[in-house]
């Protein structure tokens, strides 16, 4: 049979109906409230491609190097073409439509022609597995009627071969020819409210239920389109901690077309609590039933219509048994966390002072001091790096001492236990990358390369900004930096103001994603480009434009994969000329007296549109590959004319500004003062780059150690510009965010939340504390409004 009904299916039918189908059948058999439906079996898909004679060509087409984005795109196009252009056999067509007609008799919700609205959902045989989750890899279609049902089933089959799905399977080691796909056709629940529920704490397994809820269909919650309410329930005493979010949009069925559309939530419901106490009780009861049935904690998707709760999906929570070490690290963080950065003295390097046996640094003599830019205490031999060739002598556990780091030093920085520089401030390359890698660092010492000797054993105190003579720290058991930023739960604390994370290098993506952040507020492309050790023009000249674009695609994709479907906001190229001059081909770069005020950001991109076009081509390819979570951010704009010109370049590159999310950085007083005109160009967001906004407002070079003490993002002039921009953007329905260093500071967080900013992007090591600070401020605002 090509079709099996859900009440005929159980957990043992995974190979026949896929992960989603098996789960829904098991829930139906357990008497849980699952909407009725049937599954077009995985064997039907296999028979379809084999009887049509396209199977050999299909699997040969996708046997490519997934890291070659051009080959991957060609493979995906050909594979999907083979499936979509192969006609349905008549007997299969009749069997599926007959089953659909039976669903129509069970529902009052039907289309104009009398047919039921159904959800058509892919259910791959390699999906929702204990050791691999392919959730989101294949297609789901909502509010489908008879006239498009067969087309949607075939599109689900074809989605097994999108670029992203092909790439992900190869990364996970799955043979394409052994993965089949079933399709669930299920009565559509026209939800008034919906969301997800963890039946137990997703990290510890403690008896704590976490419910996320929003208005309308659950796709808005799952895709990250809306910030949902958050309800945390203690299953022992039934107390509930409620965080009500501002829910700006919802996904609903269009009354005229029947299609799923995004609508603005009415003003009077945006700040209204979604689920009642009675509905929470009903969800908790269902959650306990499904957890008891499976014998393990579950991640459940649910929906409510006319007061009735439906379960749409349930899968095991796979993170609990992997977090013992993470919990221990988190406990350590909470006990001694720095109030600004949110991390302890131990930063994850080999010789950090996380253990109680480590010796403090009070007894050593300070030989060099500067700005502590990345916390932690380590001991090791200093390696003086004055040219790139010197990087070869840096071994695991060494302390790099250099004038200033560059992107091509990142591999060596990953090996080092600590980093010390003569130049730079808290927002320099050395400071940013060190924090992301979890490596203790001191910047702006002015004289470390001349005072310290090659091979000299020193202790670096990244908190105090001091380098001491000798080894003051005993080596500790090695820990992974990723574990030290992993929160106890990926969803708590939930906040109405989104908390995102900054990422400078793709290598830090896993560590950044482990924080549980709501997405990436800033992914810098310049570090990907500068690591090529050639200027863009030189690299293109020697390797071709396609190779240049591929470098960007690979770098961005590695981050987008880690965060999917959470948004990743990618900034186009913004490197000053002095950094380009250090690269091969840099002799042709302008020699600028102050590069920070010079030929960089969007002004360079609009002047060199040929190179900018290759950057935009990378975004176009990513969208084509299915990375709809990627957003484009334009740096150093001054006014609406800059934005209009960049928008024309996007359109020329094949990117539809009406369909993709894009926006600008507010980094100059001019852009802050002209934001209303820029809002009229169609931008979706404006993001504060407080590092530049502060330096341009206060005339303080942020990389100049001589005036570092005058660099103050909380200066009244800077705050006034930020506050005015937020107010203007709210009037024009434009989101606002911050991605500068200041977003990690509690005082700035308090100011931004009070002003109504949409999101805050923090450094990796500060996400957890920013989440708690945001929640504290939001709760205070709620309490004051009640009082």
């Amino acid at each position: 049979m090509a079709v099996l009904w859900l009440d005929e299916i159980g957990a043992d039918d995974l190979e026949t109906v896929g992960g989603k189908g098996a789960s829904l059948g098991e829930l139906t058999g357990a008497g849980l409230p699952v909407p009725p439906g049937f599954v077009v079996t995985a064997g039907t898909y296999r028979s379809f491609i084999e009887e049509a004679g396209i199977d050999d060509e299909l699997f040969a087409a996708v046997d490519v190097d997934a890291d070659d984005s051009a080959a991957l795109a060609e493979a995906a196009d050909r594979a999907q073409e083979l499936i979509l252009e192969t006609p349905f056999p008549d007997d299969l067509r009749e069997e599926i439509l007959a089953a659909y007609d039976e669903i129509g008799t069970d529902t009052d919700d039907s289309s104009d022609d009398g047919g039921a609205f159904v959800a058509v959902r892919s259910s791959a045989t390699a999906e929702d597995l204990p050791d691999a989750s392919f959730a989101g890899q294949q297609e789901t279609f909502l509010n489908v009627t008879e006239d498009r049902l067969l087309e949607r089933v075939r599109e689900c089959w074809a989605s097994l071969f999108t670029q992203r799905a092909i790439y992900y399977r190869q990364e996970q080691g799955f043979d394409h020819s052994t993965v089949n796909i079933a399709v669930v056709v299920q009565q559509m629940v026209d939800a008034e409210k919906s969301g997800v529920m963890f039946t137990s704490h997703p990290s510890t397994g403690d008896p704590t239920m976490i419910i996320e809820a929003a208005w309308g269909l659950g796709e808005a919650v799952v895709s990250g389109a809306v910030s949902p309410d958050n309800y945390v329930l203690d299953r022992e005493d039934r107390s509930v901690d409620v965080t009500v979010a501002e829910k700006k949009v919802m996904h609903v069925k269009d009354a005229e077309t029947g299609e799923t559309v995004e609508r603005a939530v009415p003003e009077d419901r945006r700040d209204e609590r979604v689920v009642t106490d009675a509905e929470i009780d009903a969800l908790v009861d269902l959650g306990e039933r499904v957890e008891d049935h499976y014998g393990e904690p579950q991640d459940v998707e649910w929906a409510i219509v006319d007061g009735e709760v439906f379960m749409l999906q349930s899968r095991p929570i796979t993170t609990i048994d992997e977090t013992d070490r993470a919990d221990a690290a988190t406990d350590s963080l909470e006990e001694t966390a720095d109030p600004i950065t949110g991390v302890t003295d131990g930063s994850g390097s080999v010789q950090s002072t996380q253990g109680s046996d480590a010796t403090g640094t009070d007894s050593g003599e300070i030989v060099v001091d500067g700005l502590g830019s990345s916390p932690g205490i380590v001991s090791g031999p200093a390696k003086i790096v004055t040219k790139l060739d010197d990087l070869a002598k840096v071994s695991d556990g060494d302390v790099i001492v250099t004038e200033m780091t560059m992107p091509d030093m990142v591999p060596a920085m990953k090996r080092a236990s600590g980093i010390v520089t003569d130049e730079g401030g808290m927002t320099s390359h050395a400071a940013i990358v060190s924090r992301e890698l979890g490596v203790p660092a001191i910047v702006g010492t002015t004289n470390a390369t001349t005072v310290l000797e090659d091979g000299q054993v020193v202790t670096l105190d990244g908190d105090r900004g001091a380098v001491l003579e000798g080894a003051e720290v005993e080596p500790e058991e090695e820990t992974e930096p990723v574990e030290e930023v992993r929160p106890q739960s990926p969803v708590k604390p939930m906040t109405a103001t989104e908390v995102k994370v900054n990422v400078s290098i793709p290598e830090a993506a896993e560590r950044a994603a482990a924080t549980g952040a709501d997405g990436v507020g800033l992914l810098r492309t310049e570090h990907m480009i500068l690591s090529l050790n050639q200027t863009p023009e030189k690299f293109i000249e020697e390797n071709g434009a396609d190779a240049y674009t591929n470098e960007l695609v690979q770098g961005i994709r590695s981050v987008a994969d880690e965060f999917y479907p959470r948004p990743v906001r990618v900034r186009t190229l913004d490197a000053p000329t002095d950094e380009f001059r250090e690269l091969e081909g840099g002799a042709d770069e302008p020699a600028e007296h102050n590069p920070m005020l010079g030929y960089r950001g969007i002004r360079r991109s609009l002047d060199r549109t040929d190179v900018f076009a290759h950057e935009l081509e990378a975004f176009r390819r990513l969208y084509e590959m299915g990375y709809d979570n990627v957003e484009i951010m334009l740096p150093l704009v001054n006014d609406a004319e800059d934005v209009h010109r960049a928008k024309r370049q996007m359109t020329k590159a094949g990117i539809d500004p009406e369909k993709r999310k894009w926006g600008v950085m507010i980094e100059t007083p001019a852009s802050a003062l002209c934001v209303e005109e820029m809002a009229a160009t169609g931008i979706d967001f404006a993001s504060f780059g407080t590092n530049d906004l502060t330096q341009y407002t206060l005339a303080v070079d942020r990389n100049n150690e001589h005036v570092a003490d005058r660099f103050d993002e909380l200066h009244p002039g800077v705050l006034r510009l930020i506050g005015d921009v937020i107010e203007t953007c709210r009037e024009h329905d434009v989101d606002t965010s911050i991605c500068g260093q200041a977003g990690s500071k509690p005082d700035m967080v308090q100011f931004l939340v009070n002003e109504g900013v949409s999101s805050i992007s923090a450094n990796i090591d500060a996400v957890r504390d920013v989440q708690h600070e945001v929640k504290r401020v939001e709760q205070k605002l709620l309490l004051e409004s009640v009082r």
Side-chain angles (χ1 to χ4, degrees), residues 1 64 75 102 115 194 251 302 310 363 444 452 454-455 504 512 568 584 606 622 680 760:
M1 293 182 62
V64 296
E102 287 192 44
S194 54
H251 288 182
W302 56 268
F310 290 93
S363 59
L452 300 178
D454 205 50
S504 295
V568 175
E584 183 183 344
L606 294 176
L622 287 161
I760 296 173

Side-chain angles (χ1 to χ4, degrees), residues 351 364-368 378-384 397-401 417 420 451-461 466-475:
Q351 297 170 303
E365 178 184 348
I366 296 177
V367 289
V368 170
V378 294
S379 292
K383 294 297 174 70
I384 311 299
D398 289 346
V399 175
I400 292 178
V401 181
S417 65
V420 182
V451 172
L452 300 178
E453 297 180 2
D454 205 50
Q456 178 182 356
V457 176
V458 296
T459 294
L460 184 160
D461 187 337
V467 178
L468 298 92
E469 188 173 7
E472 298 291 328
V473 179
E474 293 295 327

